[in-house]
Amino acid sequence: MASVKYSVVIPVYDRPEEIAELLSSLVFQHYKDFEVIIVEDGSNITCKEVFESYADKLKIRYFFKPNSGPGPSRNFGFSHAIGEYFVVFDSDCLLPSSYFSQVENFMKREKVDMWGGPDRGHDDFTVKQRAMAYTMSSTFTTGGIRGGMKRIDSFQPRSFNMGMSREVFERTGGFVFDRFAEDIELSLRVKKMGFSVVLIPDAFVYHKRRTSFSQFYRQVSNFGRGRVLVGRAHREAVKLVHWFPSLFTMGVLSLPVWLLFEMRLGLVLGFSYLAYLLVVGVDAFRVTSSAGVAFMAVPSALVQLFGYGLGFIKEKLRVS
């Protein structure tokens, strides 16, 4: 097989519909010098038929393997890739047609060993999904501890939108965690080895997230757990800011006690939380221009902070 510039590796587990949407967005890329490798991670509901329907539209290959988690599945895909650079997306992402063109334009100006890009909500997503997309990228929630555009020095590419050179993979061995913050751990290790790690702001993806708040809660709870796991491998990776969701959660849960025994302080604390949620709603409207998204951003922020915070605490207590 002739070489290509980029090898796109997509691990998937029981999500054929999502893969179909992602592959559709890859078909319409302006820049075409890439291959696609789908790694079916022991799915019960496979996407082989979806793969076959795109076999004449993309340079695409399909592998089925026993379930091992997204980290080992990406490594499996990398081991079969022929590109100069390896790119990973989550199966619930969609790409604007300019994605690879933006990466190419950036690489012409700057040396890149590893990169990541932002995620956004799409107008076709449900209001709830767009609210979740907003809170996951907002500086007022855990988006503020994910390495935002104004904090390039602390930016850590995430697996929903991450690329790296072949050399980075060969020297690092790729992902070492099966799941839960495997992308953060790899990003930190790559930086420690002296590779350049950059944010490409215009290389964004549309990240669909989950369809319900209960699913979203489980997802962000795993993010909280993952941060603790990363901290065990890289002690400097857990900072005071990563405790914010846990402190927020404990503060909310303690409100009844404060109101019962120290009403004045409880009222101050309660109004502070209300003011914070108002700021989240107003900013969501500013960013999305949607009153519905702004309204749903408030419960989304609460689910996100509670899920991340409790996941963080539970994982901390598990080894204490």
Side-chain angles (χ1 to χ4, degrees):
M1 182 180 292
S3 64
V4 294
K5 183 72 175 286
Y6 302 98
S7 291
V8 178
V9 175
I10 310 166
V12 59
Y13 180 78
D14 282 356
R15 295 185 180 181
E17 297 84 4
E18 289 182 353
I19 284 293
E21 293 180 327
L22 175 52
L23 292 181
S24 177
S25 70
L26 283 165
V27 168
F28 293 101
Q29 290 297 301
H30 298 150
Y31 182 91
K32 302 289 188 181
D33 191 16
F34 63 87
E35 66 165 342
V36 180
I37 298 174
I38 297 176
V39 181
E40 191 89 65
D41 188 24
S43 297
N44 298 306
I45 307 171
T46 75
C47 61
K48 188 172 183 181
E49 288 186 6
V50 176
F51 151 72
E52 291 170 347
S53 69
Y54 281 89
D56 61 344
K57 300 181 180 72
L58 293 164
K59 299 173 187 174
I60 187 168
R61 289 182 283 159
Y62 173 89
F63 297 91
F64 185 95
K65 55 177 283 298
N67 182 262
S68 62
S73 294
R74 295 185 188 106
N75 291 342
F76 178 92
F78 296 160
S79 69
H80 289 82
I82 62 173
E84 298 175 42
Y85 292 88
F86 303 154
V87 190
V88 295
F89 302 114
D90 285 347
S91 61
D92 56 355
C93 289
L94 304 174
L95 274 63
S97 58
S98 61
Y99 179 87
F100 281 103
S101 298
Q102 295 292 349
V103 173
E104 275 289 293
N105 291 338
F106 191 94
M107 285 190 170
K108 291 176 182 177
R109 304 189 303 268
E110 186 172 333
K111 179 181 183 296
V112 176
D113 294 316
M114 179 184 232
W115 78 87
D119 56 340
R120 301 182 183 178
H122 193 280
D123 289 343
D124 289 340
F125 293 175
T126 67
V127 170
K128 189 177 294 183
Q129 287 173 323
R130 291 168 63 195
M132 287 184 253
Y134 162 78
T135 58
M136 282 300 293
S137 60
S138 172
T139 56
F140 294 109
T141 61
T142 64
I145 62 178
R146 284 154 53 90
M149 291 186 184
K150 295 181 180 179
R151 303 175 61 220
I152 304 299
D153 60 326
S154 61
F155 176 68
Q156 297 162 0
R158 305 301 173 96
S159 60
F160 62 80
N161 182 4
M162 170 190 282
M164 71 193 77
S165 68
R166 176 179 290 273
E167 182 185 5
V168 167
F169 170 64
E170 291 175 347
R171 286 185 54 190
T172 62
F175 297 93
V176 297
F177 288 6
D178 293 348
R179 50 176 60 83
F180 304 154
E182 74 282 355
D183 46 2
I184 299 175
E185 191 285 326
L186 176 59
S187 295
L188 291 170
R189 197 154 30 93
V190 169
K191 281 188 176 182
K192 287 181 177 180
M193 294 180 68
F195 288 106
S196 61
V197 179
V198 303
L199 168 71
I200 305 181
D202 293 325
F204 66 89
V205 301
Y206 298 112
H207 202 173
K208 186 171 288 189
R209 300 296 171 187
R210 299 297 181 253
T211 57
S212 70
F213 282 144
S214 61
Q215 293 175 329
F216 187 46
Y217 176 88
R218 288 193 292 272
Q219 181 185 42
V220 293
S221 177
N222 289 335
F223 292 164
R225 288 185 58 196
R227 177 57 66 170
V228 177
L229 294 172
V230 170
R232 293 178 195 151
H234 306 271
R235 295 188 63 179
E236 76 283 0
V238 177
K239 302 175 182 177
L240 181 61
V241 67
H242 297 112
W243 283 89
F244 166 68
S246 300
L247 296 173
F248 178 95
T249 300
M250 289 187 291
V252 172
L253 295 177
S254 69
L255 262 179
V257 177
W258 289 113
L259 290 171
L260 184 61
F261 295 103
E262 289 286 347
M263 180 171 289
R264 182 175 298 179
L265 184 57
L267 288 173
V268 170
L269 188 61
F271 280 118
S272 297
Y273 279 115
L274 289 175
Y276 166 79
L277 294 174
L278 178 62
V279 168
V280 168
V282 171
D283 188 64
F285 181 77
R286 177 189 67 81
V287 171
T288 67
S289 301
S290 167
V293 172
F295 179 79
M296 293 303 296
V298 173
S300 178
L302 288 171
V303 169
Q304 185 175 340
L305 291 168
F306 268 71
Y308 189 106
L310 291 175
F312 186 96
I313 293 170
K314 288 177 182 177
E315 189 61 32
K316 275 287 187 183
L317 293 175
R318 193 177 68 84
V319 295
S320 299

